Amino acid sequence: MDTVLPSAMWLPFGARLLRARSDKGLSRAELARTVGVTDDKLRQVEYAYCRPARTLVERVDTALGTDRQLLDAWAITLQAEAFPNEFGDLREIGLHAARLWEHQPMAVPTFLRTREYSRAILGPAHPGLDTEQVESLVDEEMLHRAAMIGPEGPELRVVVNEPVLTRPQGGAAVSADQRGFLADLIEAGIVTMAVIPEETPHHPGLGGAFRLMEFEDRPSMVYAFAARDGDLTADPEQVGRCAMIREAIEDAAVELTPDSRLLTAGRPGA
């Protein structure tokens, strides 16, 4: 029997199927009977313990009346697993991670941003969008943030370059509020953070921003950020190399506390 679990890329598909079934008001046993499989088989699909066959997904699509949405998601996931660049459900994969580590040299990670800071980042990054479209992107980031820092989110560890915290992105008030928000998250134990000082003579993170995601029962994955079309991989050699870079970054980093000067600068009473 093949005991190798599918890639973590299947976790969003399984979660999507589970939501569609719940929205329809069906128990797993009821849907399993309808599509002609065992309850355990459907559980394996929902928890990404197996790759479902196309014929099964087609029957589920019909039973739930999802108008081929599940079949389309299945095809995208199958393609993405074979060629894992530019996977659209990166955010949802991160939600399924047990531990998520991220290095960002330019800006606060998306899942730790205030609304105003998010707006100050996304507006300049998408000059072709109008105010309403930018606000829609901000709303998406806020929903993602709520899930990531919520009780069901992963254990979060972030290392940033010092200019991320000193650059007045959006203006002095916006950046001060963002730093205050980070301090509150650290104090609450929701995230741990460190900073690489500006004067570091041999910066180990010059390769750019990346995210390392570790799962309880699946191989780790790495996402290398880029201006467009980042690179997602579960290749053990690349993951191992990024893990070594992570250790070098951590060795060069200084831990942040809620009272760190970089977070309290500009706040009332600081």
Side-chain angles (χ1 to χ4, degrees):
M1 179 178 177
D2 184 8
T3 58
V4 179
L5 288 168
S7 162
M9 290 180 182
W10 286 97
L11 289 165
F13 175 83
R16 185 175 288 112
L17 191 158
L18 192 155
R19 285 195 300 270
R21 173 174 64 77
S22 299
D23 290 345
K24 196 71 173 180
L26 293 176
S27 70
R28 189 166 58 220
E30 289 172 328
L31 179 59
R33 285 195 299 270
T34 300
V35 299
V37 296
T38 65
D39 180 271
D40 186 61
K41 176 65 174 181
L42 193 58
R43 181 188 66 84
Q44 290 181 15
V45 175
E46 289 185 344
Y47 288 91
Y49 292 152
C50 71
R51 296 176 186 82
R54 179 188 177 95
T55 53
L56 173 56
V57 179
E58 288 175 335
R59 296 199 300 273
V60 171
D61 243 337
T62 300
L64 297 180
T66 47
D67 193 27
R68 292 181 57 89
Q69 292 180 21
L70 289 173
L71 186 59
D72 289 344
W74 174 87
I76 290 171
T77 306
L78 197 67
Q79 174 77 4
E81 189 176 35
F83 306 99
N85 293 344
E86 307 173 31
F87 188 60
D89 278 325
L90 171 69
R91 287 183 177 180
E92 196 166 353
I93 289 180
L95 289 174
H96 289 281
R99 292 166 295 279
L100 186 150
W101 184 98
E102 184 163 315
H103 169 242
Q104 284 289 344
M106 298 297 293
V108 172
T110 59
F111 52 86
L112 298 180
R113 295 174 181 174
T114 65
R115 174 173 289 274
E116 292 73 18
Y117 183 91
S118 174
R119 189 180 295 118
I121 292 288
L122 292 173
H126 300 278
L129 300 184
D130 60 30
T131 301
E132 184 176 344
Q133 291 171 316
V134 170
E135 203 62 26
S136 178
L137 294 179
V138 172
D139 289 341
E140 289 181 10
E141 280 201 356
M142 294 303 99
L143 288 173
H144 179 60
R145 186 192 78 183
M148 288 286 281
I149 68 175
E152 302 301 318
E155 178 185 323
L156 298 171
R157 171 68 172 174
V158 171
V159 181
V160 298
N161 288 0
E162 184 174 339
V164 169
L165 302 175
T166 57
R167 182 183 303 110
Q169 187 71 37
V174 169
S175 58
D177 286 346
Q178 174 64 70
R179 292 192 298 271
F181 182 63
L182 294 175
D184 291 342
L185 292 178
I186 295 171
E187 186 170 29
I190 293 172
V191 64
T192 61
M193 287 190 69
V195 61
I196 298 181
E198 180 71 0
E199 66 271 14
T200 301
H202 304 291
H203 194 306
L206 296 180
F210 71 96
R211 173 183 296 181
L212 181 58
M213 295 171 283
E214 298 174 332
F215 303 87
E216 292 293 357
D217 53 5
R218 287 172 171 78
S220 297
M221 302 188 78
V222 165
Y223 183 80
F225 291 86
R228 296 184 53 144
D229 304 334
D231 185 12
L232 179 68
T233 183
D235 177 73
E237 184 175 345
Q238 294 190 49
V239 171
R241 179 175 177 274
C242 287
M244 291 177 62
I245 297 173
R246 173 183 63 181
E247 294 308 311
I249 288 174
E250 288 284 3
D251 287 344
V254 175
E255 197 69 17
L256 289 170
T257 72
D259 299 322
S260 294
R261 177 188 58 79
L262 285 171
L263 295 180
T264 60
R267 299 185 73 182

